[in-house]
Short mmCIF file of all heavy atoms in Angstrom, two decimals:
data_model
loop_
_atom_site.label_atom_id
_atom_site.label_comp_id
_atom_site.label_asym_id
_atom_site.label_seq_id
_atom_site.Cartn_x
_atom_site.Cartn_y
_atom_site.Cartn_z
N ALA A 1 72.87 83.21 97.89
CA ALA A 1 71.45 83.05 98.14
C ALA A 1 70.83 82.27 96.98
O ALA A 1 71.08 82.59 95.82
CB ALA A 1 70.78 84.40 98.31
N GLU A 2 70.04 81.32 97.32
CA GLU A 2 69.43 80.46 96.31
C GLU A 2 68.52 81.25 95.37
O GLU A 2 68.51 81.01 94.16
CB GLU A 2 68.64 79.36 97.01
CG GLU A 2 67.95 78.40 96.08
CD GLU A 2 67.13 77.38 96.82
OE1 GLU A 2 66.29 77.77 97.66
OE2 GLU A 2 67.35 76.20 96.58
N ASN A 3 67.76 82.19 95.90
CA ASN A 3 66.80 82.95 95.11
C ASN A 3 67.31 84.36 94.81
O ASN A 3 66.57 85.32 94.87
CB ASN A 3 65.45 83.03 95.84
CG ASN A 3 64.85 81.67 96.05
OD1 ASN A 3 64.99 80.79 95.22
ND2 ASN A 3 64.18 81.48 97.18
N ASP A 4 68.58 84.48 94.48
CA ASP A 4 69.21 85.77 94.25
C ASP A 4 69.14 86.11 92.77
O ASP A 4 69.74 85.44 91.93
CB ASP A 4 70.67 85.71 94.71
CG ASP A 4 71.32 87.07 94.78
OD1 ASP A 4 70.91 87.98 94.03
OD2 ASP A 4 72.25 87.22 95.57
N PHE A 5 68.41 87.18 92.44
CA PHE A 5 68.27 87.58 91.05
C PHE A 5 69.31 88.63 90.66
O PHE A 5 69.45 88.97 89.50
CB PHE A 5 66.85 88.09 90.78
CG PHE A 5 65.83 87.02 91.03
CD1 PHE A 5 65.04 87.06 92.18
CD2 PHE A 5 65.69 85.96 90.16
CE1 PHE A 5 64.12 86.05 92.42
CE2 PHE A 5 64.78 84.95 90.40
CZ PHE A 5 63.98 84.99 91.53
N ILE A 6 70.07 89.15 91.64
CA ILE A 6 71.13 90.11 91.38
C ILE A 6 72.44 89.38 91.08
O ILE A 6 73.16 89.72 90.15
CB ILE A 6 71.28 91.09 92.56
CG1 ILE A 6 70.01 91.94 92.68
CG2 ILE A 6 72.52 91.96 92.41
CD1 ILE A 6 69.94 92.79 93.92
N ALA A 7 72.74 88.40 91.91
CA ALA A 7 73.95 87.57 91.73
C ALA A 7 73.52 86.11 91.81
O ALA A 7 73.66 85.47 92.85
CB ALA A 7 74.98 87.91 92.80
N PRO A 8 72.96 85.56 90.73
CA PRO A 8 72.43 84.20 90.76
C PRO A 8 73.48 83.16 91.19
O PRO A 8 74.65 83.26 90.83
CB PRO A 8 72.00 83.95 89.31
CG PRO A 8 71.79 85.31 88.74
CD PRO A 8 72.80 86.19 89.42
N ALA A 9 73.03 82.19 91.97
CA ALA A 9 73.92 81.16 92.51
C ALA A 9 74.70 80.45 91.41
O ALA A 9 75.89 80.16 91.58
CB ALA A 9 73.12 80.15 93.33
N GLU A 10 74.07 80.20 90.26
CA GLU A 10 74.76 79.50 89.17
C GLU A 10 75.92 80.33 88.63
O GLU A 10 76.99 79.80 88.34
CB GLU A 10 73.79 79.19 88.02
CG GLU A 10 72.60 78.35 88.41
CD GLU A 10 71.47 79.15 89.08
OE1 GLU A 10 71.37 80.38 88.86
OE2 GLU A 10 70.71 78.54 89.83
N VAL A 11 75.71 81.63 88.51
CA VAL A 11 76.76 82.53 88.02
C VAL A 11 77.89 82.60 89.04
O VAL A 11 79.07 82.50 88.69
CB VAL A 11 76.20 83.94 87.73
CG1 VAL A 11 77.31 84.92 87.41
CG2 VAL A 11 75.18 83.88 86.59
N MET A 12 77.54 82.74 90.31
CA MET A 12 78.55 82.85 91.35
C MET A 12 79.34 81.54 91.49
O MET A 12 80.54 81.55 91.75
CB MET A 12 77.91 83.25 92.68
CG MET A 12 77.17 84.58 92.62
SD MET A 12 78.04 85.93 91.76
CE MET A 12 79.47 86.13 92.76
N ALA A 13 78.68 80.40 91.29
CA ALA A 13 79.38 79.11 91.34
C ALA A 13 80.42 79.02 90.23
O ALA A 13 81.54 78.54 90.45
CB ALA A 13 78.38 77.97 91.24
N ARG A 14 80.08 79.51 89.04
CA ARG A 14 81.05 79.50 87.93
C ARG A 14 82.23 80.41 88.24
O ARG A 14 83.38 80.08 87.96
CB ARG A 14 80.38 79.91 86.62
CG ARG A 14 79.49 78.83 86.03
CD ARG A 14 79.11 79.11 84.59
NE ARG A 14 78.46 80.39 84.37
CZ ARG A 14 77.14 80.59 84.44
NH1 ARG A 14 76.33 79.59 84.72
NH2 ARG A 14 76.64 81.79 84.20
N ARG A 15 81.94 81.57 88.81
CA ARG A 15 83.02 82.49 89.18
C ARG A 15 83.92 81.87 90.25
O ARG A 15 85.15 81.96 90.17
CB ARG A 15 82.46 83.81 89.68
CG ARG A 15 81.84 84.64 88.60
CD ARG A 15 81.33 85.95 89.12
NE ARG A 15 80.69 86.70 88.05
CZ ARG A 15 80.09 87.85 88.22
NH1 ARG A 15 80.05 88.40 89.43
NH2 ARG A 15 79.53 88.46 87.22
N ALA A 16 83.31 81.27 91.26
CA ALA A 16 84.09 80.64 92.32
C ALA A 16 84.96 79.52 91.75
O ALA A 16 86.13 79.38 92.10
CB ALA A 16 83.16 80.10 93.41
N ASP A 17 84.40 78.74 90.84
CA ASP A 17 85.15 77.66 90.21
C ASP A 17 86.34 78.20 89.43
O ASP A 17 87.45 77.66 89.51
CB ASP A 17 84.23 76.85 89.29
CG ASP A 17 84.93 75.68 88.65
OD1 ASP A 17 85.44 74.81 89.40
OD2 ASP A 17 85.00 75.63 87.40
N GLY A 18 86.13 79.27 88.69
CA GLY A 18 87.23 79.89 87.93
C GLY A 18 88.33 80.39 88.84
O GLY A 18 89.52 80.22 88.55
N LEU A 19 87.94 81.02 89.94
CA LEU A 19 88.94 81.49 90.90
C LEU A 19 89.72 80.33 91.51
O LEU A 19 90.94 80.39 91.63
CB LEU A 19 88.26 82.30 92.01
CG LEU A 19 87.73 83.67 91.59
CD1 LEU A 19 86.83 84.25 92.67
CD2 LEU A 19 88.89 84.61 91.29
N MET A 20 89.01 79.26 91.87
CA MET A 20 89.70 78.09 92.43
C MET A 20 90.68 77.48 91.44
O MET A 20 91.79 77.11 91.81
CB MET A 20 88.67 77.04 92.89
CG MET A 20 87.95 77.44 94.17
SD MET A 20 86.86 76.15 94.82
CE MET A 20 85.39 76.46 93.86
N ARG A 21 90.26 77.40 90.17
CA ARG A 21 91.16 76.86 89.14
C ARG A 21 92.38 77.74 88.95
O ARG A 21 93.44 77.26 88.56
CB ARG A 21 90.42 76.67 87.82
CG ARG A 21 89.53 75.43 87.83
CD ARG A 21 88.91 75.13 86.47
NE ARG A 21 87.71 75.95 86.29
CZ ARG A 21 87.55 76.89 85.36
NH1 ARG A 21 88.50 77.11 84.48
NH2 ARG A 21 86.45 77.59 85.28
N ALA A 22 92.25 79.02 89.28
CA ALA A 22 93.38 79.96 89.18
C ALA A 22 94.23 79.96 90.45
O ALA A 22 95.19 80.71 90.54
CB ALA A 22 92.86 81.36 88.90
N GLY A 23 93.87 79.11 91.42
CA GLY A 23 94.66 79.00 92.63
C GLY A 23 94.27 79.95 93.76
O GLY A 23 94.99 80.08 94.74
N VAL A 24 93.11 80.60 93.61
CA VAL A 24 92.65 81.52 94.64
C VAL A 24 91.85 80.75 95.68
O VAL A 24 91.04 79.88 95.34
CB VAL A 24 91.76 82.63 94.01
CG1 VAL A 24 91.18 83.55 95.06
CG2 VAL A 24 92.55 83.41 92.97
N GLN A 25 92.09 81.05 96.95
CA GLN A 25 91.32 80.42 98.02
C GLN A 25 89.89 80.96 97.98
O GLN A 25 89.68 82.18 98.01
CB GLN A 25 91.94 80.73 99.38
CG GLN A 25 93.30 80.11 99.58
CD GLN A 25 93.20 78.61 99.72
OE1 GLN A 25 92.26 78.06 100.28
NE2 GLN A 25 94.19 77.92 99.19
N VAL A 26 88.92 80.07 97.90
CA VAL A 26 87.52 80.46 97.78
C VAL A 26 86.68 79.66 98.77
O VAL A 26 86.92 78.47 98.97
CB VAL A 26 87.00 80.19 96.35
CG1 VAL A 26 85.50 80.45 96.24
CG2 VAL A 26 87.77 81.01 95.33
N GLU A 27 85.72 80.32 99.36
CA GLU A 27 84.70 79.64 100.15
C GLU A 27 83.37 80.10 99.58
O GLU A 27 83.10 81.30 99.53
CB GLU A 27 84.83 80.03 101.62
CG GLU A 27 83.98 79.18 102.53
CD GLU A 27 84.30 79.40 103.99
OE1 GLU A 27 85.50 79.43 104.34
OE2 GLU A 27 83.35 79.52 104.77
N PHE A 28 82.55 79.18 99.12
CA PHE A 28 81.31 79.51 98.43
C PHE A 28 80.16 78.75 99.07
O PHE A 28 80.24 77.54 99.28
CB PHE A 28 81.44 79.13 96.95
CG PHE A 28 80.18 79.35 96.16
CD1 PHE A 28 79.74 80.63 95.86
CD2 PHE A 28 79.44 78.28 95.71
CE1 PHE A 28 78.59 80.83 95.13
CE2 PHE A 28 78.28 78.47 94.97
CZ PHE A 28 77.85 79.75 94.68
N HIS A 29 79.09 79.46 99.41
CA HIS A 29 77.91 78.85 100.03
C HIS A 29 76.66 79.31 99.29
O HIS A 29 76.57 80.47 98.90
CB HIS A 29 77.77 79.28 101.49
CG HIS A 29 78.95 78.95 102.32
ND1 HIS A 29 79.10 77.75 102.97
CD2 HIS A 29 80.06 79.67 102.62
CE1 HIS A 29 80.24 77.74 103.62
NE2 HIS A 29 80.84 78.89 103.42
N VAL A 30 75.71 78.42 99.14
CA VAL A 30 74.39 78.77 98.62
C VAL A 30 73.42 78.56 99.78
O VAL A 30 73.35 77.46 100.33
CB VAL A 30 73.98 77.90 97.41
CG1 VAL A 30 72.55 78.21 96.99
CG2 VAL A 30 74.95 78.11 96.26
N TYR A 31 72.72 79.60 100.14
CA TYR A 31 71.77 79.52 101.26
C TYR A 31 70.36 79.36 100.71
O TYR A 31 69.81 80.28 100.10
CB TYR A 31 71.88 80.78 102.13
CG TYR A 31 73.24 80.93 102.73
CD1 TYR A 31 74.13 81.88 102.28
CD2 TYR A 31 73.66 80.08 103.76
CE1 TYR A 31 75.40 82.00 102.82
CE2 TYR A 31 74.93 80.19 104.31
CZ TYR A 31 75.78 81.16 103.84
OH TYR A 31 77.03 81.27 104.38
N PRO A 32 69.76 78.18 100.91
CA PRO A 32 68.42 77.90 100.38
C PRO A 32 67.35 78.84 100.93
O PRO A 32 67.36 79.19 102.11
CB PRO A 32 68.14 76.46 100.83
CG PRO A 32 69.48 75.88 101.12
CD PRO A 32 70.32 77.02 101.59
N GLY A 33 66.46 79.25 100.04
CA GLY A 33 65.27 79.98 100.44
C GLY A 33 65.46 81.46 100.75
O GLY A 33 64.52 82.09 101.23
N VAL A 34 66.64 82.02 100.49
CA VAL A 34 66.82 83.46 100.76
C VAL A 34 67.17 84.19 99.47
O VAL A 34 67.63 83.59 98.51
CB VAL A 34 67.90 83.72 101.84
CG1 VAL A 34 67.48 83.15 103.17
CG2 VAL A 34 69.25 83.19 101.43
N ARG A 35 66.97 85.50 99.50
CA ARG A 35 67.28 86.34 98.35
C ARG A 35 68.49 87.21 98.65
O ARG A 35 68.98 87.23 99.77
CB ARG A 35 66.08 87.24 98.02
CG ARG A 35 64.89 86.45 97.54
CD ARG A 35 63.78 87.38 97.17
NE ARG A 35 62.67 86.58 96.65
CZ ARG A 35 61.57 87.10 96.21
NH1 ARG A 35 61.41 88.41 96.20
NH2 ARG A 35 60.62 86.34 95.74
N HIS A 36 68.94 87.95 97.66
CA HIS A 36 70.05 88.87 97.81
C HIS A 36 69.73 89.88 98.92
O HIS A 36 68.60 90.34 99.04
CB HIS A 36 70.27 89.63 96.49
CG HIS A 36 71.52 90.42 96.45
ND1 HIS A 36 72.71 89.89 96.04
CD2 HIS A 36 71.78 91.70 96.79
CE1 HIS A 36 73.65 90.81 96.11
NE2 HIS A 36 73.11 91.93 96.57
N GLY A 37 70.71 90.18 99.74
CA GLY A 37 70.49 91.15 100.81
C GLY A 37 69.77 90.55 102.01
O GLY A 37 68.88 91.17 102.57
N PHE A 38 70.14 89.35 102.40
CA PHE A 38 69.45 88.68 103.51
C PHE A 38 69.91 89.16 104.88
O PHE A 38 69.53 88.62 105.91
CB PHE A 38 69.59 87.16 103.41
CG PHE A 38 70.99 86.67 103.15
CD1 PHE A 38 71.93 86.64 104.15
CD2 PHE A 38 71.34 86.23 101.87
CE1 PHE A 38 73.22 86.19 103.90
CE2 PHE A 38 72.62 85.77 101.62
CZ PHE A 38 73.56 85.75 102.63
N GLY A 39 70.71 90.22 104.92
CA GLY A 39 71.13 90.82 106.19
C GLY A 39 71.97 89.88 107.04
O GLY A 39 72.86 89.21 106.53
N THR A 40 71.65 89.80 108.30
CA THR A 40 72.42 88.95 109.21
C THR A 40 72.09 87.48 109.01
O THR A 40 72.78 86.62 109.54
CB THR A 40 72.16 89.31 110.67
OG1 THR A 40 70.78 89.05 110.98
CG2 THR A 40 72.51 90.76 110.96
N GLY A 41 71.01 87.20 108.31
CA GLY A 41 70.60 85.82 108.09
C GLY A 41 69.78 85.25 109.23
O GLY A 41 69.37 84.09 109.20
N SER A 42 69.53 86.03 110.25
CA SER A 42 68.78 85.58 111.42
C SER A 42 67.44 84.98 111.01
O SER A 42 66.70 85.58 110.23
CB SER A 42 68.55 86.75 112.38
OG SER A 42 67.84 86.33 113.51
N GLY A 43 67.17 83.78 111.47
CA GLY A 43 65.91 83.12 111.16
C GLY A 43 65.85 82.52 109.76
O GLY A 43 64.78 82.13 109.31
N THR A 44 66.99 82.45 109.07
CA THR A 44 67.03 81.88 107.72
C THR A 44 68.13 80.82 107.63
O THR A 44 68.90 80.62 108.58
CB THR A 44 67.32 82.96 106.65
OG1 THR A 44 68.70 83.33 106.73
CG2 THR A 44 66.44 84.19 106.82
N SER A 45 68.22 80.21 106.48
CA SER A 45 69.29 79.23 106.26
C SER A 45 70.66 79.88 106.24
O SER A 45 71.68 79.20 106.33
CB SER A 45 69.05 78.47 104.95
OG SER A 45 69.12 79.36 103.85
N ALA A 46 70.71 81.22 106.13
CA ALA A 46 71.99 81.95 106.09
C ALA A 46 72.47 82.34 107.49
O ALA A 46 73.51 82.98 107.63
CB ALA A 46 71.85 83.20 105.24
N ARG A 47 71.75 81.92 108.52
CA ARG A 47 72.16 82.24 109.89
C ARG A 47 73.61 81.82 110.10
O ARG A 47 74.00 80.72 109.74
CB ARG A 47 71.25 81.52 110.89
CG ARG A 47 71.53 81.88 112.33
CD ARG A 47 70.65 81.11 113.29
NE ARG A 47 71.07 79.71 113.30
CZ ARG A 47 70.27 78.69 113.03
NH1 ARG A 47 69.00 78.87 112.74
NH2 ARG A 47 70.73 77.45 113.05
N GLY A 48 74.42 82.71 110.63
CA GLY A 48 75.82 82.41 110.89
C GLY A 48 76.78 82.79 109.78
O GLY A 48 77.99 82.62 109.93
N TRP A 49 76.26 83.33 108.67
CA TRP A 49 77.14 83.64 107.55
C TRP A 49 78.20 84.68 107.90
O TRP A 49 79.32 84.60 107.39
CB TRP A 49 76.34 84.07 106.31
CG TRP A 49 75.93 85.51 106.29
CD1 TRP A 49 74.75 86.02 106.74
CD2 TRP A 49 76.69 86.62 105.82
NE1 TRP A 49 74.74 87.39 106.57
CE2 TRP A 49 75.92 87.78 106.01
CE3 TRP A 49 77.95 86.76 105.26
CZ2 TRP A 49 76.37 89.05 105.66
CZ3 TRP A 49 78.40 88.03 104.91
CH2 TRP A 49 77.60 89.15 105.10
N ILE A 50 77.87 85.62 108.77
CA ILE A 50 78.83 86.67 109.12
C ILE A 50 80.02 86.06 109.85
O ILE A 50 81.18 86.38 109.56
CB ILE A 50 78.17 87.79 109.94
CG1 ILE A 50 77.14 88.52 109.08
CG2 ILE A 50 79.21 88.75 110.50
CD1 ILE A 50 76.31 89.54 109.81
N LYS A 51 79.76 85.15 110.77
CA LYS A 51 80.83 84.49 111.50
C LYS A 51 81.70 83.66 110.55
O LYS A 51 82.93 83.66 110.64
CB LYS A 51 80.25 83.61 112.60
CG LYS A 51 81.26 83.05 113.54
CD LYS A 51 80.59 82.31 114.69
CE LYS A 51 81.62 81.83 115.67
NZ LYS A 51 80.99 81.19 116.83
N GLN A 52 81.07 82.97 109.59
CA GLN A 52 81.82 82.20 108.60
C GLN A 52 82.70 83.12 107.75
O GLN A 52 83.87 82.82 107.50
CB GLN A 52 80.88 81.42 107.68
CG GLN A 52 80.16 80.29 108.34
CD GLN A 52 79.14 79.66 107.40
OE1 GLN A 52 78.51 80.34 106.59
NE2 GLN A 52 78.97 78.36 107.53
N ALA A 53 82.13 84.23 107.30
CA ALA A 53 82.89 85.17 106.47
C ALA A 53 84.05 85.77 107.25
O ALA A 53 85.17 85.87 106.72
CB ALA A 53 81.96 86.27 105.95
N ALA A 54 83.81 86.15 108.49
CA ALA A 54 84.89 86.73 109.31
C ALA A 54 86.01 85.72 109.50
O ALA A 54 87.20 86.08 109.45
CB ALA A 54 84.34 87.19 110.65
N GLY A 55 85.68 84.46 109.71
CA GLY A 55 86.69 83.42 109.84
C GLY A 55 87.53 83.29 108.58
O GLY A 55 88.75 83.14 108.64
N PHE A 56 86.87 83.34 107.43
CA PHE A 56 87.59 83.27 106.15
C PHE A 56 88.52 84.46 106.02
O PHE A 56 89.70 84.31 105.69
CB PHE A 56 86.58 83.24 105.00
CG PHE A 56 87.23 83.20 103.64
CD1 PHE A 56 87.66 81.99 103.11
CD2 PHE A 56 87.42 84.35 102.90
CE1 PHE A 56 88.26 81.94 101.85
CE2 PHE A 56 88.03 84.32 101.66
CZ PHE A 56 88.45 83.10 101.14
N TRP A 57 88.03 85.67 106.28
CA TRP A 57 88.84 86.87 106.14
C TRP A 57 90.03 86.84 107.09
O TRP A 57 91.14 87.22 106.71
CB TRP A 57 88.01 88.12 106.37
CG TRP A 57 86.95 88.31 105.33
CD1 TRP A 57 87.01 87.99 104.00
CD2 TRP A 57 85.65 88.86 105.53
NE1 TRP A 57 85.83 88.30 103.37
CE2 TRP A 57 84.98 88.84 104.28
CE3 TRP A 57 84.97 89.36 106.63
CZ2 TRP A 57 83.69 89.32 104.12
CZ3 TRP A 57 83.68 89.84 106.47
CH2 TRP A 57 83.06 89.81 105.22
N LYS A 58 89.82 86.36 108.30
CA LYS A 58 90.92 86.30 109.27
C LYS A 58 92.02 85.36 108.81
O LYS A 58 93.19 85.59 109.09
CB LYS A 58 90.40 85.87 110.64
CG LYS A 58 89.66 86.95 111.36
CD LYS A 58 89.15 86.45 112.70
CE LYS A 58 88.34 87.53 113.38
NZ LYS A 58 87.77 87.06 114.66
N ARG A 59 91.65 84.32 108.10
CA ARG A 59 92.66 83.37 107.60
C ARG A 59 93.48 83.96 106.46
O ARG A 59 94.62 83.55 106.24
CB ARG A 59 92.01 82.08 107.14
CG ARG A 59 91.47 81.23 108.27
CD ARG A 59 91.10 79.82 107.82
NE ARG A 59 90.21 79.74 106.68
CZ ARG A 59 88.89 79.76 106.73
NH1 ARG A 59 88.27 79.87 107.89
NH2 ARG A 59 88.17 79.65 105.63
N PHE A 60 92.92 84.89 105.70
CA PHE A 60 93.58 85.35 104.49
C PHE A 60 93.95 86.83 104.44
O PHE A 60 94.42 87.31 103.43
CB PHE A 60 92.74 84.98 103.27
CG PHE A 60 92.64 83.50 103.12
CD1 PHE A 60 91.49 82.83 103.51
CD2 PHE A 60 93.70 82.77 102.64
CE1 PHE A 60 91.41 81.46 103.42
CE2 PHE A 60 93.63 81.38 102.54
CZ PHE A 60 92.48 80.73 102.92
N VAL A 61 93.74 87.53 105.54
CA VAL A 61 94.14 88.94 105.61
C VAL A 61 95.08 89.07 106.79
O VAL A 61 94.80 88.62 107.88
CB VAL A 61 92.92 89.87 105.79
CG1 VAL A 61 93.38 91.32 105.99
CG2 VAL A 61 91.99 89.77 104.59
N LYS A 62 96.24 89.66 106.54
CA LYS A 62 97.20 89.85 107.62
C LYS A 62 97.39 91.34 107.86
O LYS A 62 97.13 92.17 106.99
CB LYS A 62 98.53 89.18 107.31
CG LYS A 62 99.30 89.81 106.18
CD LYS A 62 100.63 89.13 105.99
CE LYS A 62 101.42 89.84 104.90
NZ LYS A 62 102.75 89.30 104.76
N GLN A 63 97.87 91.67 109.04
CA GLN A 63 98.12 93.05 109.38
C GLN A 63 99.62 93.19 109.68
O GLN A 63 100.17 92.47 110.48
CB GLN A 63 97.29 93.43 110.61
CG GLN A 63 97.24 94.90 110.87
CD GLN A 63 96.18 95.23 111.91
OE1 GLN A 63 95.89 94.44 112.78
NE2 GLN A 63 95.62 96.40 111.81
N ASP A 64 100.26 94.13 108.99
CA ASP A 64 101.70 94.31 109.21
C ASP A 64 101.93 95.13 110.48
O ASP A 64 101.00 95.58 111.14
CB ASP A 64 102.39 94.90 107.98
CG ASP A 64 102.04 96.35 107.72
OD1 ASP A 64 101.48 97.03 108.60
OD2 ASP A 64 102.33 96.82 106.60
N ARG A 65 103.17 95.35 110.81
CA ARG A 65 103.51 96.03 112.07
C ARG A 65 103.05 97.48 112.10
O ARG A 65 102.97 98.08 113.16
CB ARG A 65 105.00 95.92 112.36
CG ARG A 65 105.90 96.52 111.33
CD ARG A 65 107.37 96.22 111.65
NE ARG A 65 108.22 96.64 110.56
CZ ARG A 65 108.69 97.86 110.44
NH1 ARG A 65 108.41 98.78 111.32
NH2 ARG A 65 109.47 98.16 109.41
N LEU A 66 102.73 98.06 110.95
CA LEU A 66 102.22 99.43 110.89
C LEU A 66 100.71 99.48 110.89
O LEU A 66 100.10 100.55 110.82
CB LEU A 66 102.77 100.15 109.65
CG LEU A 66 104.29 100.29 109.58
CD1 LEU A 66 104.69 100.92 108.25
CD2 LEU A 66 104.81 101.13 110.74
N GLY A 67 100.07 98.31 110.95
CA GLY A 67 98.63 98.26 110.97
C GLY A 67 97.96 98.24 109.60
O GLY A 67 96.76 98.38 109.50
N VAL A 68 98.77 98.08 108.56
CA VAL A 68 98.23 98.05 107.19
C VAL A 68 97.80 96.62 106.88
O VAL A 68 98.56 95.68 107.05
CB VAL A 68 99.29 98.52 106.18
CG1 VAL A 68 98.76 98.40 104.75
CG2 VAL A 68 99.72 99.94 106.48
N LYS A 69 96.56 96.47 106.42
CA LYS A 69 96.04 95.14 106.10
C LYS A 69 96.29 94.83 104.62
O LYS A 69 96.18 95.70 103.77
CB LYS A 69 94.56 95.06 106.40
CG LYS A 69 94.26 95.16 107.88
CD LYS A 69 92.80 95.01 108.16
CE LYS A 69 92.57 95.08 109.66
NZ LYS A 69 91.20 94.88 110.02
N SER A 70 96.62 93.59 104.35
CA SER A 70 96.79 93.16 102.97
C SER A 70 96.41 91.70 102.85
O SER A 70 96.51 90.95 103.79
CB SER A 70 98.24 93.36 102.52
OG SER A 70 99.11 92.57 103.31
N ALA A 71 95.91 91.34 101.68
CA ALA A 71 95.58 89.94 101.42
C ALA A 71 96.84 89.20 101.03
O ALA A 71 97.73 89.77 100.42
CB ALA A 71 94.54 89.86 100.31
N TYR A 72 96.90 87.94 101.38
CA TYR A 72 98.04 87.11 100.97
C TYR A 72 97.58 85.72 100.69
O TYR A 72 96.50 85.35 100.92
CB TYR A 72 99.15 87.10 102.01
CG TYR A 72 98.78 86.48 103.33
CD1 TYR A 72 99.12 85.18 103.61
CD2 TYR A 72 98.09 87.20 104.29
CE1 TYR A 72 98.81 84.60 104.82
CE2 TYR A 72 97.78 86.64 105.51
CZ TYR A 72 98.13 85.34 105.77
OH TYR A 72 97.82 84.77 106.97
#
C-alpha cells in the first residue's frame, strides 16, 4: 500500500529486493492511494490483489500425497 505507515512501501521494496538477490521468488506490488489493511481492495487500486496472491501461492506451494503443504 502506498500510504502504509505500518509496512512502508520503501521498506518492503528493500526487503523484496534482498529476497530476490538471495534467489527467492518474489512478487511485489504497491497499490496507490490505499493504507495498510485495505481488505479485499474493492473499489481501490488494490482490487484483485487476493486473486493475484492466490495465483502466486499456487505456483510456489505444493501438496504431497498425504495432503501436507510445503513451499518449494
Side-chain angles (χ1 to χ4, degrees):
E2 180 183 53
N3 298 325
D4 192 333
F5 299 105
I6 294 171
E10 301 81 24
V11 172
M12 301 315 297
R14 286 194 304 271
R15 289 182 182 176
D17 183 59
L19 289 168
M20 286 186 275
R21 283 187 277 116
V24 176
Q25 293 290 325
V26 174
E27 190 169 315
F28 176 71
H29 302 272
V30 175
Y31 299 107
V34 296
R35 294 183 177 182
H36 190 88
F38 47 77
T40 64
S42 180
T44 74
S45 63
R47 184 182 71 237
W49 83 267
I50 294 174
K51 189 174 184 176
Q52 291 174 325
F56 179 83
W57 295 326
K58 285 179 183 177
R59 289 193 308 272
F60 296 101
V61 174
K62 68 177 183 175
Q63 192 168 30
D64 70 15
R65 61 186 172 86
L66 299 175
V68 176
K69 293 183 179 183
S70 62
Y72 65 98

